[in-house]
Amino acid sequence: MTEFSWKIGGEAGYGIMTSGLIFGKAFVKSGLFAFDTNEYPSLIRGGHNTYTVRVCDEPIFSHSKKIDILVALTKLAVEKHKDEISENGFIIFDQSVFSVSNEEVRDDINLVPIPLTEIATKSGGQAIMRNNVAIGASFALVDYNFEHLVDTINGIFGGKKGEDIAKTNINVAREGYNYVERNFPKFLRSIKISAKKFAKRMYIIGNEAISLGAIRAGCKFYSAYPMTPASSILHFLSSKENDYNIIVKQTEDEIAAIHMAIGASFAGVRSMTGTSGGGFSLMTEALGLAALTETPLVVVLAQRPGPSTGMPTHTEQGDLKFAINASNGEFPRVVVAPGDANECFYETFNAFNIAEKYQIPVIVLTDKFLAESHSTIDPFLSKQLKIDRGMLLTDEKAKQIKDYKRYENTATGVSYRSIPSQIAMFKAATDEHDEYGRLSEEQSDRITQMDKRFRKFKVLESEIDGIKIYGDDDADITIISWGSTKGPILEAMKIFAKKGVKVCFIQVLYLMPFPTTKMKLLIEKRKNKIIIENNKTAQLASLIKEHTGMDIDYKILKYDGRPFTPEDIYEKIDEVLTFAKL
Amino acid sequence: MTEFSWKIGGEAGYGIMTSGLIFGKAFVKSGLFAFDTNEYPSLIRGGHNTYTVRVCDEPIFSHSKKIDILVALTKLAVEKHKDEISENGFIIFDQSVFSVSNEEVRDDINLVPIPLTEIATKSGGQAIMRNNVAIGASFALVDYNFEHLVDTINGIFGGKKGEDIAKTNINVAREGYNYVERNFPKFLRSIKISAKKFAKRMYIIGNEAISLGAIRAGCKFYSAYPMTPASSILHFLSSKENDYNIIVKQTEDEIAAIHMAIGASFAGVRSMTGTSGGGFSLMTEALGLAALTETPLVVVLAQRPGPSTGMPTHTEQGDLKFAINASNGEFPRVVVAPGDANECFYETFNAFNIAEKYQIPVIVLTDKFLAESHSTIDPFLSKQLKIDRGMLLTDEKAKQIKDYKRYENTATGVSYRSIPSQIAMFKAATDEHDEYGRLSEEQSDRITQMDKRFRKFKVLESEIDGIKIYGDDDADITIISWGSTKGPILEAMKIFAKKGVKVCFIQVLYLMPFPTTKMKLLIEKRKNKIIIENNKTAQLASLIKEHTGMDIDYKILKYDGRPFTPEDIYEKIDEVLTFAKL
Amino acid sequence: MPSFEELTTKERPTWCPGCGDWGILTALKKALVEINAEPTKTVVVAGIGCSGHLPQWINTFGFHSLHGRALPVAQAIKLSNHELNVIAVGGDGDGYGIGMGHFIHAMRRNVNVKYIVHDNQIYGLTTGQASPTSEKGFKTKSTPHGLIEEPVNPIALALATDCSFVARGFAGDVPHLVKLIVQAINHKGFALIDVLQPCVTFNYLNTFEYFYRRIYKLEESGHDTSNKEIAFQKAFEWGEKIPIGLFYKKERKTYEDELPQISKEPLIKQKIDNVDISQLIEEFC
Amino acid sequence: MPSFEELTTKERPTWCPGCGDWGILTALKKALVEINAEPTKTVVVAGIGCSGHLPQWINTFGFHSLHGRALPVAQAIKLSNHELNVIAVGGDGDGYGIGMGHFIHAMRRNVNVKYIVHDNQIYGLTTGQASPTSEKGFKTKSTPHGLIEEPVNPIALALATDCSFVARGFAGDVPHLVKLIVQAINHKGFALIDVLQPCVTFNYLNTFEYFYRRIYKLEESGHDTSNKEIAFQKAFEWGEKIPIGLFYKKERKTYEDELPQISKEPLIKQKIDNVDISQLIEEFC
Ligand SMILES: Cc1ncc(C[n+]2csc(CCOP(=O)(O)OP(=O)(O)O)c2C)c(N)n1
Ligand SMILES: Cc1ncc(C[n+]2csc(CCOP(=O)(O)OP(=O)(O)O)c2C)c(N)n1
Ligand code: SF4
Ligand code: SF4
Ligand SMILES: [Mg+2]
Ligand SMILES: [Mg+2]
């Protein structure tokens, strides 16, 4: 296994996001694996942005702590990140803008001063293309076939309209490549990575995977209000609205967004809304409306650090218990937390089936780290997926029903759902009702309907396997976690494996209904149970205790707005266990 | 101990609410104890309303299941409630409107047909005053001094403007009294209740007690949007706005209501908002705003059955976990659930102190049963209460501070709070910030501020005693509950006492911070632990498990929108324990 | 197709006897009969309030949504199946208080939905608090010393937003209201009908009497419904004379008209069994 | 009392170079200098957006509230202490999108708060989606095939609500904007200043250029600021000519004027140490 990590840092508005994407994608397109993550403040210009890409010739699931090549577009980038640079790592910087010396950083660090801006403008580009020079230079450092970069740039800017832009970008990058070859021949090949047997893989962020899952599930209506880090679903789906005949509606606020999704679903169209914490707060009332009217609903909640506006462009897993308990009153719902882009796709697809089969709200819980990080995965196996619309009536079936009871008290709790234009009319009501949907405050109707709704939950519980397990069964350490920490944990397990420590990782994919029985069975006899969460109060740990009564031995929590790195996890675990032994 | 229960039932718009209040108050004013509860659908006219008053010569804490006198204004009232009538109980009904025979009801029931409407109109009143005829008649049945009724009617309608109205009402009632004396002499004294040594007591509903608590605490700003069962706080406070110089603002929605309360508090004025579940859902986002800006805030959440609009005029305790987890992100808050009108007053007063001392949001959690039922309690000991505004700066103190840090990282987590017009300026921000309140996304500021906010919680935990205990320490049965079930439980304990069964009742007054240590200690060695909750999912039981890991042996739950009666509780407990013994 | 009786439910409305809501329900049913609306293809969406109970008492599809939220639900239903006849109803608190934002945005969006507001200038269902259209000085449970705010003017707001059909009806004049509803349904685009609706239980000021004495019909006064400025002047006429009828009408493309997604068939009719996403997957490779 | 420098923070704004927000901040500070506002008695309340960052960069009290919620917070601050000078700022998405309901209701309430809207016809902070004032057809991240809705017209909405001070400024004409803000602050009552604010990063259509070529000043065109109908006509002027300046002004009692609770002293000055509730307790005995 060979790998390296690359980071570009500079001000917002420097085009860092596109550069990072191009860089990673070039490797993926030629058969390697990449993972990226970005960091930017809640500002449009200025402030400090970074984009980190890790590249490997074997599958990887997260970024890592150390950086082998730092592209510093500002002096600040050097100061902020010099400590992350690995031994004998590199700093590429724009020598015409500022200087860097080994005294300032570290002796072992290799400095690669390049007149980035100058090269960009001289070779026919604009100053902003300085990033491309740096990318070209980086390719030279890792001695990777430049043609892969050409392909990628053509792919991103290409097409008739973009031909010229692509050409300029490529030229500029090539100059960077050549500059290193010419001026720093000794650095060539000092980081080794080479193309492997080619296989077609996707390089995709969580939000895009969710969007694809929704499109594949037949979602025809997406209503949302912009909110980081959910917005890119809105952007992606609206860019495809005409290709896939989806109505994508930016609404006046999140309240309208969720009510529109409910309206569309009532009309019989698969619909979804997406938001982050503040917007989800505004949606809580309508969650209950979906529940009481038994209108299927899919809500994506992409978390960011709260409370309140908090740190809008950063990451956290602070909304788990909120998602589970949001809205007044009691009703069954599903909360699923994908851990990677793959699960984003498949679980979003599933979410639509579950929402319709059980006629309940389903919350897809992600976070900024997952929503916006690219990872390399196999193309989705889309053909094998089956749409299941549950007890939705066809026009024919509707005609046969006599004395239609929309909220019939069935054995499973699920009842036939008709849609407007069908002969089986009914009223969906926000108030409690009888089996026909007529308002009722009778004790008997109330109990019947409450029990009916909760009965679905029983069936659901038996149908959903909420837990995934990785690693050794007879492990020394059992990690329990949920959501986007999955990637860094899987990577940390590689480190443990190298040290010969056996680790088992229990990923809770479905947080509601909580996989109580399985969890109990799994952790009962384990030693060194460790919870890892990107929040302050260890919300999963408290759920485990609530459901199983069991305590977790150690909690490793991070609530500074940043995702875990594999090394963080490895070191923290090592620390708690060492400490425990003392 | 002697007691009786009286119920009046008829259509909405029949003036049942006022009649019920007059009836109960007349007994309280003369030294007895009364408790009432009402039931009405979410309609303005028609539908079936009831008002139940229980009267006793010793303190009582809830209504009870059996009715001794039923005043049936409609035939429907007879049908609905005949089974609740105690042995040899009475039905007073308007013989000119419908008839009732012993065959239809029960042989032992005493029928008291009276031409209610006729008497009302003949004695100078309007048809709607038929209720007063029935009240008068009821006074005759229990042979209670009519002058107590006169006092009460004068008290309610009296004053210069109402003199005539009061007179007519009294006349009409007296005719009812006389009618029974004349026509049913044998019924006189069949229910015995007599005045006791007089003591001044209040007859008050939860919402009024909350309002008084707020006024006493110096609340100067109440912003709300009407919502049953919270509306009567709005009505009461607005009726007193000029007497106590309170700005009472009905806003365009609940979002505005909570933001106004936050704005007022930021400006330095004690403020409050109140709502029910749906409105609280809309307020969740701003809860986080109060938390992050550390602006003190008191929110009354008067529960009603959900999900969604549910049963708007009924009762339930379904929002506990929602209140605890509402809003995105993690922050400390206090959730206090008064169990009776007395606690409504004192805990609302305390809520203001806690909110300011800790600069956090405090949720006062009640429900329709508590909010709208009258009970008889001793006059509030208002003098002894002390306002504590915590670290709110005075103008003088503000002047002395150099380099003011609004969010200073103190040992307690609480920091000095200045208000506009003081020299110590700052910005309150919805984003994460540094100690000065300046926006910051630095990891170190984030961790510092998160830890600072949560540090308060530690102090809070040690300051608040969240549990109250009633009954025997060496009990056979331990009941655990929260909120408005307290009254029926205390009454059920009287029944157990009569049977010689020892019962202990643990009331959880503060649900957040959860009284973990005390709870653990208390229940560890108990047998027959029984949770009683007015909801479907036993939310307190799950909190207990979450915090202590302990299971509750039995759960008695009611989610039909109606409060427990003492008999319900007694019987259900008896049932589960008998069943357990099998 | 449907008769008045077919549209009438077995259950009787629970509104107070004499409430203006009765007239509105009758007018709506009559209008649906007149335009030959198929009940199964008609959806009545409501918010919460006394007004919000309306869908319960008309034999069509119904969606009783949350307080203030009838419009977002109604618009999405229409977009999902534009062959449906979608009518939203609600109260003045519902629509002009908590729902104000949706109201304004629905008008500018111009989805072909009809909005009938039961404007009784009071919060009925919550037993009598001030509403956004209550008159200044009005004493209610929440304003015992008199309301301080000026009322909102829904007609003027609609004109300010260039709403494509702006009308006011009166619950006490059912034939006139029927005409307005029919016109509104026949109009292509969003239509507002603000209906003066006496609440006999809580609004002692704006009674049937009050309105009978004051209202006059715009169509009988030579009003030009294509002139927004004059309509705006008329919108502020309130006092001795109160105009009812059509204030303003304008032909505008509806939102649906501009969606290629549904130019061939309604969203609901499009197959979703097997959406082919191979092209999309390719994009990420 | 304060100098421009005293109002200026050490931290520099993080707005994009050339953004219209800079002009608005400068104008606000100059206006505060001109009216001699005490910084400690001035509160700037903001919503969320690029605009919402403003309070961070002015040396007064500040409250950076939630998206769309500046007005409820600002009004309550003013009611709690009407000796304060309360200014609310926000974006077009903030104020006319998610905050629309509060906007309309604040105007009819007429609390003496000034509202400056940074109207850049785009969602800036969330990187360029359509806003309620974006022009029809505008292509943005959320409307890649062109926006369908008609924009809202905040000036017309303000007139429809009888807002007591209705004006439009331009971020590119600071001296003019300063005058407007000074007038607004001197006006007793709620004041709206909608400010045309080019977003140089995401709005490629409504640039400084765009506005320079089109704007003209109402005060130079003999406009009568007391005539609502004419103001309403002017409100719809948008195209080759765009009016800025004061559209309409009316003397109305403020909300505070009608509160006996604060006729003697501000709420905040009233003692709460020992509120005597014995009278109330008596009422329940
Ligand atoms: C979020 C929310 N807040 C408050 C309520 C309580 N509520 C029910 S109806 C209503 C207002 C009724 O007034 P209006 O909309 O004018 O309808 P009307 O009853 O007069 O027809 C209110 C405030 C609610 N159901 N939901
Ligand atoms: C409830 C909620 N929804 C969404 C967001 C995300 N958000 C932040 S700023 C903004 C809009 C910004 O546009 P605008 O109000 O016009 O301000 P500008 O940035 O253009 O000044 C949005 C949608 C949020 N913070 N809160
Ligand atoms: S309360 Fe008013 S609006 Fe409601 S049904 Fe009665 S009369 Fe009609
Ligand atoms: S994104 Fe636009 S509005 Fe925001 S700071 Fe930049 S130029 Fe200004
Ligand atoms: Mg109304
Ligand atoms: Mg904007």
Side-chain angles (χ1 to χ4, degrees), chain A residues 253-260 282-283, chain B residues 255 282, chain C residues 69 72 102:
Chain A
D253 60 16
E254 287 88 352
I255 297 178
I258 188 168
H259 280 89
M260 282 205 171
L282 292 171
M283 291 184 178
Chain B
I255 298 178
L282 292 171
Chain C
R69 316 305 174 194
H102 308 309

Side-chain angles (χ1 to χ4, degrees), chain A residues 285, chain B residues 44 225-228 231 250 254 275-280 282 304 309 312, chain C residues 15 21 48-52 66-69 90-95 98 118-126 129 131-132 197 199:
Chain A
E285 191 193 8
Chain B
I44 302 306
Y225 189 74
M227 190 159 198
T228 309
S231 304
Q250 178 186 335
E254 287 88 352
T275 185
S276 188
F280 186 75
L282 292 171
R304 66 192 209 186
T309 308
Chain C
W15 290 313
D21 286 341
I48 297 202
C50 293
S51 42
L66 289 174
H67 188 43
R69 316 305 174 194
D92 43 340
D94 194 74
I98 193 168
H118 302 221
D119 188 353
N120 55 11
Q121 300 167 260
I122 194 85
Y123 281 22
L125 191 61
T126 44
Q129 298 86 6
S131 100
Q197 175 245 317
C199 164

Side-chain angles (χ1 to χ4, degrees), chain D:
Chain D
M1 283 168 259
S3 67
F4 189 84
E5 288 64 40
E6 278 166 309
L7 288 173
T8 304
T9 56
K10 266 173 288 174
E11 301 79 33
R12 259 176 70 85
T14 53
W15 290 313
C16 306
C19 170
D21 286 340
W22 295 86
I24 300 177
L25 174 60
T26 303
L28 176 58
K29 289 194 291 189
K30 287 197 168 168
L32 289 176
V33 170
E34 198 165 321
I35 62 145
N36 253 333
E38 273 184 64
T40 55
K41 292 205 166 164
T42 302
V43 186
V44 183
V45 183
I48 297 201
C50 292
S51 42
H53 289 145
L54 187 143
Q56 294 288 319
W57 302 312
I58 182 163
N59 272 331
T60 62
F61 269 90
F63 196 110
H64 189 183
S65 80
L66 289 174
H67 188 43
R69 316 304 173 193
L71 285 178
V73 173
Q75 292 171 84
I77 293 172
K78 183 74 184 183
L79 293 178
S80 299
N81 186 353
H82 58 270
E83 291 174 351
L84 299 174
N85 187 4
V86 182
I87 308 212
V89 300
D92 44 340
D94 193 76
Y96 309 143
I98 193 167
M100 175 61 86
H102 309 309
F103 172 55
I104 303 286
H105 286 279
M107 292 191 287
R108 78 184 185 95
R109 198 170 286 138
N110 205 31
V111 174
N112 194 354
V113 157
K114 315 303 153 187
Y115 190 32
I116 302 174
V117 181
H118 302 221
D119 188 354
N120 56 10
Q121 300 166 260
I122 194 86
Y123 281 22
L125 192 61
T126 44
T127 74
Q129 298 85 5
S131 99
T133 52
S134 293
E135 294 183 24
K136 188 163 179 175
F138 194 35
K139 292 187 178 169
T140 70
K141 276 191 186 162
S142 57
T143 59
H145 306 103
L147 179 66
I148 300 179
E149 281 107 331
E150 292 288 339
V152 296
N153 187 326
I155 302 292
L157 286 171
L159 294 167
T161 315
D162 216 19
C163 175
S164 64
F165 185 103
V166 185
R168 182 189 283 144
F170 173 43
D173 187 345
V174 172
H176 179 258
L177 186 54
V178 172
K179 265 190 230 143
L180 279 184
I181 299 178
V182 169
Q183 273 186 71
I185 297 181
N186 288 334
H187 167 74
K188 272 200 70 183
F190 186 89
L192 166 71
I193 309 179
D194 179 71
V195 186
L196 305 170
Q197 174 245 317
C199 164
V200 297
T201 303
F202 296 111
N203 191 329
Y204 53 85
L205 189 64
N206 311 103
T207 59
F208 277 100
E209 203 42 54
Y210 175 98
F211 289 118
Y212 274 126
R213 283 201 302 115
R214 288 170 166 83
I215 54 168
Y216 74 94
K217 293 181 181 144
L218 285 169
E219 55 273 34
E220 292 170 1
S221 74
H223 173 68
D224 173 4
T225 60
S226 69
N227 186 321
K228 191 154 62 175
E229 274 88 35
I230 293 181
F232 191 69
Q233 283 177 29
K234 289 278 172 197
F236 286 93
E237 242 182 65
W238 186 277
E240 282 318 297
K241 295 234 142 277
I242 297 175
I244 63 170
L246 182 60
F247 282 74
Y248 180 67
K249 185 169 140 80
K250 176 179 179 176
E251 300 302 324
R252 259 174 71 185
K253 273 195 180 176
T254 67
Y255 194 90
E256 306 90 282
D257 286 343
E258 309 217 29
L259 292 173
Q261 296 95 314
I262 53 173
S263 59
K264 292 222 190 65
E265 52 179 358
L267 220 47
I268 181 71
K269 293 203 171 152
Q270 303 182 21
K271 289 269 171 300
I272 63 163
D273 312 346
N274 220 330
V275 179
D276 181 4
I277 60 164
S278 46
Q279 187 58 43
L280 288 177
I281 292 177
E282 209 53 44
E283 270 182 39
F284 290 97
C285 288

Side-chain angles (χ1 to χ4, degrees), chain A residues 89 175 182 230 249 254 382 457 573:
Chain A
E175 288 305 318
R182 245 178 293 128
K249 187 77 216 75
E254 287 88 352
S382 164
F457 211 55
I573 291 181

Side-chain angles (χ1 to χ4, degrees), chain B residues 236-254:
Chain B
F236 184 84
L237 288 176
S238 58
S239 75
K240 304 294 175 196
E241 59 188 356
N242 294 343
D243 301 340
Y244 289 89
N245 285 354
I246 306 168
I247 294 183
V248 179
K249 189 76 213 75
Q250 178 186 335
T251 52
E252 58 271 28
D253 60 16
E254 287 88 352

